[in-house]
Amino acid sequence: MFSPLIFNIALHGMEAAAGARYRWNPYRESNESVPGTPVLIRYADDLVALCDSREQAEQVKERLTPWLASRGLAFNEDKTRVVHLDEGLDFLGFNVRRYGEKLLIKPSTAAIRRIRRRLSAEMRALRGANVAAVLRKINPIVRGWAAYYRGVVATETFRKLDRHLWRLCYKWATYRHPKKSKHWVVNRYFGSFHPTRRDRWVFGNRNNGGYLLRFGWTKIIRHDLVKGLSSPDDPALTSYWAARRRKAGPEPPVDRGRMRQLKAQHGRCAACGGLLLDTDRPPTSPQEWEQWLAVTRKAITHQAITETGVGPTDDHGTLLIHTYCRRRTVTGRPAAPTPRHVIGPA
């Protein structure tokens, strides 16, 4: 967390140094790049400069070399390349490549290889565990990886990963019961576990109805460019960033009843008006998505939010409030202050 922050401070102004220029577009209500100038995308110390020609790309590198040297930094020549978009490039786990007249962003081959290897290793390590342990371990991985890549062209990748994961689950089941027939194994671990999807090949637990999530169940939501120079730290843009989080934020790992309740209450506590599920910043990697989902599920499991029968919001006449708000309501103390940010149905 601190490394990206330090680099963001040290490398502030790199776009201008590279020659990037922007102008206001009143129709889109945002800035757009001036034709003929490069576009620079940076995260911490990783960057990509999109240029009109190889000559312009070399010029950008020449401009940035002394600019970086003044800060005690330099390009890593082993990782610095000038490539054509028809060849494509990998950046932050994504592959950016032009196919004919279309520019497509997909999960990179290296990222797909890593998740396949991780799933294989995890399932191999779980050979001695029961199906409940498999679901606890694998579901956060599926949720986190799919959430990170759902903003790009990933439908086919999700489909292939689902096939890979299904084979791993079937192999795990046959290893666990070597003397049972394939028909018995299928009846034991596969079925129509999902309450709304008509799929009888879902891997699950017949004891409690739990089931393994699929990558393909994650809805693709295209990334919406940030308007102009909007900053999440600008208090005047609170409503703008809240709307972005509502549109592109992850769905909290709650049951459908509580999900409807969260949306009906606009994600806010009925007692104090604060956000029921909050985070300081959106996750920026598959691992951070896993952590966010795990922390949110743990908070719900430990009753960080609870129900109270104080209103006619749904058929049961219940509202969702913070657990500490309920305790303070009982003791007569004031409720807690409103948290800052939300990811989910705010």
Side-chain angles (χ1 to χ4, degrees):
M1 177 178 178
F2 290 102
S3 178
L5 176 61
I6 293 173
F7 273 110
N8 283 336
I9 296 173
L11 300 180
H12 181 70
M14 176 179 279
E15 284 186 278
R21 298 292 182 269
Y22 298 93
R23 64 185 181 187
W24 180 255
N25 186 329
Y27 177 75
R28 300 180 61 183
E29 296 184 351
S30 64
N31 285 341
E32 64 179 12
S33 61
V34 176
T37 62
V39 175
L40 189 138
I41 303 97
R42 179 179 60 83
Y43 177 77
D45 59 337
D46 295 321
L47 68 94
V48 170
L50 302 178
C51 305
D52 293 331
S53 64
R54 174 176 286 272
E55 290 73 19
Q56 188 181 57
E58 297 291 349
Q59 292 174 4
V60 169
K61 185 179 178 182
E62 291 176 3
R63 292 194 194 103
L64 291 180
T65 298
W67 189 85
L68 290 172
S70 65
R71 289 159 173 77
L73 301 171
F75 283 109
N76 185 336
E77 296 297 338
D78 295 334
K79 296 182 178 180
T80 303
R81 298 188 303 146
V82 178
V83 299
H84 200 278
L85 272 180
D86 290 343
E87 178 185 347
L89 60 98
D90 289 348
F91 184 63
L92 300 179
F94 299 95
N95 177 260
V96 183
R97 184 178 176 184
R98 186 168 59 192
Y99 297 83
E101 298 297 325
K102 285 189 175 182
L103 178 68
L104 300 182
I105 303 176
K106 302 180 180 181
S108 68
T109 302
I112 297 172
R113 189 182 300 116
R114 285 194 298 269
I115 187 63
R116 286 173 64 94
R117 289 177 177 174
R118 183 181 179 189
L119 290 172
S120 299
E122 295 289 357
M123 292 299 292
R124 192 179 303 112
L126 289 165
R127 282 181 173 179
N130 58 22
V131 64
V134 172
L135 300 182
R136 284 197 303 270
K137 186 66 177 180
I138 303 299
N139 271 340
I141 299 175
V142 174
R143 279 182 180 270
W145 204 89
Y148 182 68
Y149 288 101
R150 68 178 180 172
V152 298
V153 182
T155 301
E156 183 61 27
T157 300
F158 287 172
R159 189 178 298 115
K160 291 180 179 179
L161 287 175
D162 283 333
R163 287 199 296 267
H164 175 68
L165 185 55
W166 190 94
R167 287 193 292 267
L168 291 176
C169 292
Y170 181 78
K171 187 176 181 180
W172 173 89
T174 54
Y175 181 90
R176 185 171 174 80
H177 304 281
K179 296 183 179 181
K180 297 294 185 179
S181 67
K182 294 180 179 179
H183 181 75
W184 184 94
V185 169
V186 169
N187 287 337
R188 175 69 180 272
Y189 292 106
F190 297 91
S192 302
F193 290 99
H194 197 282
T196 60
R197 296 180 180 272
R198 296 181 179 179
D199 188 347
R200 66 185 185 89
W201 291 103
V202 177
F203 181 79
N205 187 350
R206 294 199 179 277
N207 294 330
N208 59 15
Y211 55 88
L212 186 66
L213 300 174
R214 291 189 176 180
F215 293 91
W217 292 346
T218 301
K219 183 180 179 182
I220 299 297
I221 301 177
R222 298 299 179 213
H223 175 71
D224 187 19
L225 293 177
V226 175
K227 289 187 176 182
L229 302 176
S230 302
S231 169
D233 298 321
D234 187 348
L237 298 176
T238 301
S239 59
Y240 167 75
W241 287 102
R244 284 183 63 88
R245 295 186 183 99
R246 282 196 297 271
K247 179 180 179 182
E251 290 190 357
V254 299
D255 57 75
R256 289 192 297 171
R258 283 194 174 185
M259 189 66 183
R260 288 194 300 267
Q261 191 71 29
L262 280 169
K263 290 182 178 180
Q265 296 179 210
H266 303 289
R268 297 190 173 274
C269 174
C272 70
L275 300 171
L276 289 164
L277 299 174
D278 64 279
T279 184
D280 289 336
R281 62 189 181 93
T284 56
S285 70
Q287 292 74 25
E288 289 188 9
W289 278 103
E290 286 182 42
Q291 295 171 5
W292 185 89
L293 291 164
V295 169
T296 303
R297 181 174 290 279
K298 185 175 181 180
I300 295 168
T301 302
H302 291 175
Q303 294 185 343
I305 63 175
T306 187
E307 295 180 353
T308 179
V310 295
T313 302
D314 60 12
D315 296 337
H316 304 287
T318 60
L319 293 173
L320 293 177
I321 66 172
H322 293 115
T323 300
Y324 53 75
C325 286
R326 184 170 187 172
R327 290 197 298 265
R328 293 181 179 186
T329 301
V330 173
T331 58
R333 291 185 293 175
T338 302
R340 292 175 54 200
H341 301 304
V342 68
I343 284 187

